[in-house]
Coordinates of all heavy atoms in Angstrom, one line a residue:
S42 N 0.8 -1.2 0.0 CA 0.0 0.0 0.0 C 0.9 1.2 0.0 O 0.6 2.2 -0.8 CB -0.9 0.0 1.2 OG -1.7 1.2 1.3
V43 N 1.9 1.3 0.8 CA 2.8 2.5 0.9 C 3.5 2.7 -0.4 O 3.5 3.7 -1.0 CB 3.8 2.3 2.0 CG1 4.9 3.3 2.0 CG2 3.1 2.3 3.4
E44 N 4.0 1.5 -1.0 CA 4.7 1.6 -2.3 C 3.7 2.2 -3.3 O 4.1 3.0 -4.2 CB 5.2 0.3 -2.7 CG 5.9 0.3 -4.1 CD 6.5 -1.1 -4.4 OE1 6.8 -1.8 -3.4 OE2 6.7 -1.3 -5.6
E45 N 2.5 1.6 -3.4 CA 1.6 2.1 -4.4 C 1.2 3.6 -4.3 O 1.0 4.3 -5.2 CB 0.3 1.2 -4.3 CG -0.6 1.3 -5.6 CD 0.1 0.7 -6.8 OE1 1.1 0.0 -6.7 OE2 -0.4 1.0 -7.9
S46 N 1.0 4.0 -2.9 CA 0.7 5.4 -2.7 C 1.8 6.3 -3.2 O 1.5 7.3 -3.8 CB 0.5 5.6 -1.2 OG -0.6 4.8 -0.7
V47 N 3.0 6.0 -2.9 CA 4.1 6.8 -3.4 C 4.2 6.9 -4.9 O 4.4 7.9 -5.5 CB 5.5 6.3 -2.8 CG1 6.6 7.0 -3.4 CG2 5.5 6.4 -1.3
R48 N 4.0 5.7 -5.5 CA 4.1 5.6 -7.0 C 3.0 6.5 -7.6 O 3.3 7.1 -8.7 CB 3.8 4.1 -7.4 CG 4.0 3.9 -8.9 CD 3.5 2.5 -9.3 NE 4.2 1.5 -8.5 CZ 5.4 0.9 -8.8 NH1 6.0 1.4 -9.9 NH2 5.9 0.0 -8.0
H49 N 1.9 6.8 -7.0 CA 0.8 7.6 -7.6 C 0.8 9.1 -7.2 O -0.1 9.8 -7.5 CB -0.5 6.9 -7.3 CG -0.8 5.7 -8.1 ND1 -0.5 4.5 -7.7 CD2 -1.3 5.5 -9.4 CE1 -0.8 3.6 -8.6 NE2 -1.3 4.2 -9.7
L50 N 1.9 9.4 -6.4 CA 2.0 10.9 -6.1 C 2.2 11.6 -7.4 O 3.0 11.1 -8.3 CB 3.2 11.1 -5.2 CG 2.9 10.7 -3.7 CD1 4.2 10.8 -2.9 CD2 1.8 11.5 -3.1
P51 N 1.5 12.8 -7.6 CA 1.6 13.5 -8.9 C 3.0 13.8 -9.4 O 3.3 13.7 -10.6 CB 0.8 14.8 -8.6 CG 0.0 14.5 -7.5 CD 0.7 13.5 -6.6
F52 N 3.9 14.1 -8.5 CA 5.3 14.5 -8.9 C 6.2 13.3 -9.1 O 7.3 13.5 -9.4 CB 5.9 15.5 -7.9 CG 5.9 15.0 -6.5 CD1 6.9 14.2 -6.0 CD2 4.8 15.4 -5.6 CE1 6.8 13.7 -4.7 CE2 4.8 14.9 -4.3 CZ 5.8 14.1 -3.8
M53 N 5.7 12.1 -8.8 CA 6.5 10.9 -9.0 C 6.4 10.3 -10.4 O 7.3 9.5 -10.8 CB 6.1 9.8 -8.0 CG 6.5 10.1 -6.6 SD 8.3 10.1 -6.5 CE 8.5 10.6 -4.7
G54 N 5.4 10.6 -11.1 CA 5.3 10.1 -12.5 C 5.2 8.6 -12.6 O 5.6 8.0 -13.6
G55 N 4.7 8.0 -11.5 CA 4.5 6.6 -11.6 C 5.7 5.7 -11.3 O 5.7 4.5 -11.4
E56 N 6.8 6.4 -10.9 CA 8.1 5.7 -10.6 C 8.4 5.8 -9.2 O 8.1 6.7 -8.5 CB 9.2 6.3 -11.4 CG 9.1 6.2 -13.0 CD 9.1 4.8 -13.4 OE1 9.8 4.0 -12.8 OE2 8.4 4.5 -14.5
I57 N 9.1 4.7 -8.7 CA 9.6 4.7 -7.3 C 11.1 5.2 -7.3 O 11.9 4.7 -8.1 CB 9.5 3.3 -6.7 CG1 8.1 2.8 -6.7 CG2 10.2 3.2 -5.4 CD1 7.3 3.6 -5.7
P58 N 11.4 6.2 -6.5 CA 12.8 6.7 -6.5 C 13.8 5.5 -6.1 O 13.4 4.7 -5.3 CB 12.8 7.8 -5.4 CG 11.3 8.2 -5.2 CD 10.5 6.9 -5.6
A59 N 14.9 5.6 -6.7 CA 15.9 4.6 -6.3 C 16.2 4.6 -4.8 O 16.5 3.5 -4.3 CB 17.2 4.9 -7.1
E60 N 16.2 5.7 -4.2 CA 16.5 5.8 -2.8 C 15.5 5.0 -2.0 O 15.8 4.3 -1.0 CB 16.5 7.2 -2.3 CG 17.7 8.1 -2.8 CD 17.4 8.6 -4.3 OE1 16.3 8.3 -4.8 OE2 18.3 9.2 -4.8
L61 N 14.2 5.1 -2.4 CA 13.2 4.4 -1.7 C 13.3 2.9 -1.9 O 13.1 2.1 -1.0 CB 11.7 4.9 -2.1 CG 10.5 4.3 -1.4 CD1 10.7 4.6 0.1 CD2 9.2 4.9 -1.9
N62 N 13.6 2.5 -3.1 CA 13.8 1.1 -3.4 C 15.0 0.5 -2.5 O 14.9 -0.6 -2.0 CB 14.1 0.8 -4.9 CG 12.9 0.5 -5.6 OD1 12.0 -0.1 -5.1 ND2 12.8 0.9 -6.9
R63 N 16.0 1.3 -2.4 CA 17.2 0.9 -1.6 C 16.8 0.7 -0.1 O 17.2 -0.2 0.6 CB 18.4 1.8 -1.7 CG 19.1 1.6 -3.1 CD 20.5 2.3 -3.1 NE 20.4 3.8 -3.0 CZ 20.2 4.6 -4.0 NH1 20.3 4.1 -5.2 NH2 20.2 5.9 -3.8
L64 N 16.0 1.7 0.4 CA 15.6 1.6 1.8 C 14.6 0.4 2.0 O 14.8 -0.2 3.0 CB 14.8 2.9 2.1 CG 14.1 3.0 3.5 CD1 15.2 2.9 4.6 CD2 13.3 4.3 3.7
K65 N 13.8 0.2 1.0 CA 12.9 -1.0 1.1 C 13.7 -2.3 1.2 O 13.4 -3.1 2.0 CB 12.0 -1.0 -0.1 CG 11.0 -2.2 -0.2 CD 10.2 -2.1 -1.5 CE 9.4 -3.4 -1.7 NZ 8.8 -3.5 -2.9
G66 N 14.7 -2.4 0.3 CA 15.6 -3.5 0.3 C 16.3 -3.7 1.6 O 16.4 -4.8 2.1
S67 N 16.8 -2.6 2.1 CA 17.5 -2.7 3.4 C 16.6 -3.1 4.6 O 17.0 -4.0 5.4 CB 18.1 -1.3 3.8 OG 19.0 -0.9 2.8
M68 N 15.4 -2.6 4.6 CA 14.5 -3.0 5.6 C 14.1 -4.5 5.5 O 13.9 -5.2 6.4 CB 13.2 -2.2 5.6 CG 13.5 -0.7 6.0 SD 12.0 0.3 6.0 CE 11.2 -0.3 7.4
R69 N 13.9 -4.9 4.2 CA 13.6 -6.3 3.9 C 14.7 -7.3 4.4 O 14.4 -8.3 5.0 CB 13.5 -6.5 2.4 CG 12.9 -7.8 1.9 CD 12.9 -7.8 0.4 NE 12.3 -9.0 -0.1 CZ 11.1 -9.2 -0.5 NH1 10.3 -8.2 -0.3 NH2 10.6 -10.4 -1.0
R70 N 15.9 -6.9 4.3 CA 17.0 -7.8 4.7 C 17.1 -7.8 6.2 O 17.7 -8.8 6.8 CB 18.3 -7.3 4.1 CG 18.5 -7.6 2.6 CD 19.8 -7.3 2.1 NE 20.1 -5.9 2.0 CZ 19.8 -5.2 0.9 NH1 19.2 -5.7 -0.1 NH2 20.1 -3.9 0.9
L71 N 16.6 -6.8 6.9 CA 16.6 -6.9 8.4 C 15.7 -8.0 8.9 O 16.0 -8.5 10.0 CB 16.1 -5.6 9.0 CG 17.1 -4.4 8.9 CD1 16.4 -3.1 9.4 CD2 18.4 -4.6 9.7
A72 N 14.7 -8.4 8.1 CA 13.8 -9.4 8.5 C 14.2 -10.8 8.2 O 13.4 -11.8 8.4 CB 12.4 -9.1 7.9

């Protein structure tokens, strides 16, 4: 849900920033 919400922000143009993807990957590896 968070990822989808960020993706649809008007200034994002449907893309997820590389920084957010890296943060998501880092949090994923913690688990």
Side-chain angles (χ1 to χ4, degrees):
S42 177
V43 170
E44 180 177 332
E45 195 66 15
S46 298
V47 172
R48 187 188 302 276
H49 286 92
L50 287 173
F52 51 85
M53 286 298 178
E56 298 295 329
I57 297 293
E60 294 80 2
L61 185 57
N62 265 328
R63 285 195 292 271
L64 176 60
K65 177 184 171 185
S67 299
M68 296 182 68
R69 185 184 185 93
R70 285 188 288 274
L71 287 175

